[in-house]
Amino acid sequence: MNQLPSKLLESAVNEFARLPGIGRKTALRLVLHLLRKPATEVQAFSEALINLRNEVVYCKICHNLSDTEMCSICSNPKRDKNLICIVENIRDVMAIENTQQYQGLYHVLGGIISPINGTGPSDLTVESLLNKVKNNSIKEIILALSATMEGDTTNFYLYRRLSAFPVKVTSIAKGVSIGDELEFTDEITLGRSIINRTIFETAQF
Amino acid sequence: MNQLPSKLLESAVNEFARLPGIGRKTALRLVLHLLRKPATEVQAFSEALINLRNEVVYCKICHNLSDTEMCSICSNPKRDKNLICIVENIRDVMAIENTQQYQGLYHVLGGIISPINGTGPSDLTVESLLNKVKNNSIKEIILALSATMEGDTTNFYLYRRLSAFPVKVTSIAKGVSIGDELEFTDEITLGRSIINRTIFETAQF
C-alpha cells in the first residue's frame, strides 16, 4: 500500500482513510469503486457532503440536527411538551424514535461528563436545559444516558442541578435485556433488575 | 435507522451507504464524524473525489491509473521493457510493486474472464496487449492472475492468443505460502508445489 500510481488517487485515498474505522486498504477499495461510477454520481456524493456541512443546523430547542431552526420533533404539535428525554447524542434520539414508544421532546446534551476525555459540564448543553426547565412548565425529565460510569456521573450531576426546580426526574429502566438468559446476565444488571422489579402486567405481552 | 432528523443528513448518509461494505449505521457514523470537522476539511474531501474522478486517466500503454498519459512505471527508463506482467487490476500492480522484486512493465487487463459475471475477453484489454506484443520486441509475458478457476481460464485464453507470437509466456509460481505449515496446506496446492519444485538454493534465505 505504499506506492499509489497517481497523486490524485493518493489524495482521495488519504481523505477516506482519515474517517474513523477506515484504513488505507478499505479507502482504496472505496475510491476505486467511485472511479468506476459515472462522474455525476461522484458529483452528487461530493455535493451531499458539502451541503450537509454548510446547511445543517442544530435545533435551537433540543440541539438535535435539523434542516430548520426548530427540528421536526420540537415543532410537532402532537408531541408532549411536558416531557423531556435527555440523551447524549443524536444517534440516541434516533434509537428512541425507532422504538415508537416515546411521544415527548428531547434534549441532546452533546456528550457526557468524562474526565478522561476532558469533557466537563460546560462542554454540554446543560445551561440550555436548565433555562428550558426554568421558563417552561415541564413535568418530567427522563435521563436516558448510557448505563456506564460516565453516564451515571452525568445523571447524578444533572439530578443535582435539576433538584432546584419542581420537576420530576426519572431514569430509563435498567434490567435484563429482552431475549437474555438469566444464567448469562451479569450480576450487577441482574441485582438491579430484582431491586427495580415492576408489577407483573399481562398487558405487556 | 428509519428516522433521520434532517433531509441533508439523510442524503449524505444515503451516498455513503451506497459504497461497498458500508451499511447505513456505518454511513451515519462517518457523516456525523465529518459534521464535527471544520467545513474546510469536508470541502477538501469533496474536492479530492471530484478531482480524482474528473482528472485521473488510464495509462495508454498499460491501462494502470495515472495522472499523466503515460504512467510513472511505463515512463521510467530504468524498467525492463522486454518484460510484461499481466494483472487483473491496479491493486495487483500495487501488490507486486510493494514486493520490490519486479523491474519490468505491467499490463492491466481490467478484469478476468468470468461467464458468471458476464465478463468476456472483449471486456478486457486483450487486443491492446496483442498489439503491444506484435509491435514491440517483448521477450517474456508473466501471467500474474489469481489462482482461481476464472484466473486459470483467463490464463489459458491469453496463452492461446499469445502463442501466435514469438514470446515466452510464464506464470507466477504456485505453492506453499511462506509461513504455512504443510499439515494445513490444501492438497492441490501441496501437490502443485511438489510438481513445480525448484532447485534448493541457500541464497534464497
Side-chain angles (χ1 to χ4, degrees):
Chain A
M1 275 301 297
N2 311 315
Q3 301 238 14
L4 287 180
S6 145
K7 289 213 166 51
L8 293 162
L9 187 64
E10 178 80 42
S11 136
V13 167
N14 285 343
E15 291 291 343
F16 264 109
R18 260 193 233 175
L19 297 175
I22 295 195
R24 281 181 62 82
K25 280 214 167 181
T26 307
L28 179 61
R29 193 163 52 82
L30 297 176
V31 168
L32 292 179
H33 170 87
L34 283 176
L35 257 186
R36 284 195 299 270
K37 295 283 158 193
T40 50
E41 271 191 39
V42 179
Q43 187 82 35
F45 186 100
S46 291
E47 278 170 9
L49 292 185
I50 290 187
N51 289 344
L52 173 73
R53 186 62 187 78
N54 294 341
E55 289 172 29
V56 89
V57 290
Y58 291 92
C59 171
K60 63 175 180 174
I61 310 283
C62 71
H63 307 283
N64 192 4
L65 277 181
S66 170
D67 292 341
T68 47
E69 215 183 22
M70 200 193 274
C71 77
S72 55
I73 296 174
C74 288
S75 58
N76 183 346
K78 288 187 188 156
R79 308 289 298 221
D80 182 353
K81 291 180 174 43
N82 295 313
L83 198 56
I84 293 184
C85 178
I86 299 186
V87 291
E88 182 181 339
N89 57 45
I90 78 143
R91 264 178 299 190
D92 298 337
V93 173
M94 284 184 260
I96 296 178
E97 280 299 284
N98 281 342
T99 67
Q100 302 189 323
Q101 297 293 319
Y102 181 66
Q103 288 305 318
L105 304 183
Y106 293 92
H107 184 87
V108 180
L109 275 186
I112 44 177
I113 297 172
S114 165
I116 291 175
N117 296 326
T119 313
S122 60
D123 301 313
L124 311 177
T125 59
V126 176
E127 294 310 318
S128 150
L129 172 69
L130 296 174
N131 281 333
K132 202 151 50 173
V133 175
K134 191 166 23 177
N135 301 325
N136 296 279
S137 64
I138 290 157
K139 290 208 184 104
E140 183 177 347
I141 302 259
I142 305 172
L143 300 170
L145 302 179
S146 297
T148 58
M149 182 78 88
E150 280 101 347
D152 285 346
T153 307
T154 313
N155 278 341
F156 187 66
Y157 175 83
L158 291 174
Y159 175 73
R160 280 208 316 178
R161 296 295 302 269
L162 288 167
S163 63
F165 304 98
V167 63
K168 186 171 150 196
V169 179
T170 59
S171 164
I172 51 169
K174 271 118 191 176
V176 181
S177 291
I178 312 299
D180 268 8
E181 294 187 42
L182 278 210
E183 192 180 345
F184 304 116
T185 303
D186 71 283
E187 53 196 51
I188 296 173
T189 302
L190 196 51
R192 198 131 169 197
S193 77
I194 290 171
I195 293 167
N196 297 333
R197 62 197 177 275
T198 57
I199 302 286
F200 185 82
E201 289 177 274
T202 48
Q204 282 175 0
F205 301 96
Chain B
M1 274 303 296
N2 311 315
Q3 301 237 14
L4 287 179
S6 146
K7 289 214 166 52
L8 293 162
L9 187 64
E10 177 81 41
S11 136
V13 167
N14 285 343
E15 291 292 342
F16 264 108
R18 259 192 233 175
L19 297 175
I22 294 195
R24 281 181 62 82
K25 280 213 166 181
T26 307
L28 179 61
R29 193 161 51 82
L30 297 177
V31 169
L32 292 180
H33 171 87
L34 283 176
L35 257 186
R36 284 195 300 270
K37 295 283 157 193
T40 48
E41 272 190 38
V42 178
Q43 187 82 33
F45 186 100
S46 291
E47 278 169 10
L49 293 184
I50 291 187
N51 289 344
L52 173 73
R53 186 63 188 77
N54 293 342
E55 288 172 31
V56 88
V57 291
Y58 291 92
C59 171
K60 64 175 180 173
I61 310 282
C62 71
H63 307 283
N64 192 3
L65 277 181
S66 170
D67 293 339
T68 47
E69 214 182 24
M70 200 194 274
C71 76
S72 55
I73 297 174
C74 288
S75 57
N76 183 346
K78 288 186 188 156
R79 309 287 300 219
D80 182 353
K81 292 184 171 42
N82 294 312
L83 197 57
I84 292 184
C85 179
I86 300 185
V87 292
E88 183 181 338
N89 57 45
I90 78 142
R91 264 178 299 189
D92 298 337
V93 172
M94 284 184 261
I96 296 177
E97 282 297 286
N98 282 341
T99 67
Q100 303 189 321
Q101 297 292 319
Y102 181 65
Q103 288 304 319
L105 303 183
Y106 293 92
H107 183 89
V108 180
L109 275 185
I112 44 177
I113 297 173
S114 165
I116 290 175
N117 297 324
T119 313
S122 61
D123 301 313
L124 311 177
T125 59
V126 175
E127 293 312 316
S128 149
L129 172 69
L130 296 174
N131 281 333
K132 201 151 49 175
V133 175
K134 193 169 13 178
N135 301 324
N136 295 280
S137 65
I138 290 156
K139 291 208 183 105
E140 182 177 348
I141 302 260
I142 305 172
L143 300 170
L145 301 179
S146 296
T148 59
M149 183 77 88
E150 280 102 345
D152 285 345
T153 307
T154 313
N155 278 340
F156 188 65
Y157 175 83
L158 292 175
Y159 175 74
R160 280 208 316 178
R161 297 294 303 269
L162 288 167
S163 63
F165 304 98
V167 63
K168 187 171 149 196
V169 179
T170 59
S171 164
I172 51 169
K174 272 118 191 178
V176 180
S177 292
I178 312 299
D180 267 9
E181 294 187 41
L182 278 209
E183 191 181 344
F184 304 116
T185 303
D186 70 284
E187 52 197 49
I188 297 173
T189 302
L190 197 51
R192 200 131 168 197
S193 77
I194 290 170
I195 293 168
N196 297 334
R197 63 195 176 278
T198 57
I199 302 286
F200 184 82
E201 290 176 273
T202 48
Q204 283 175 359
F205 301 95

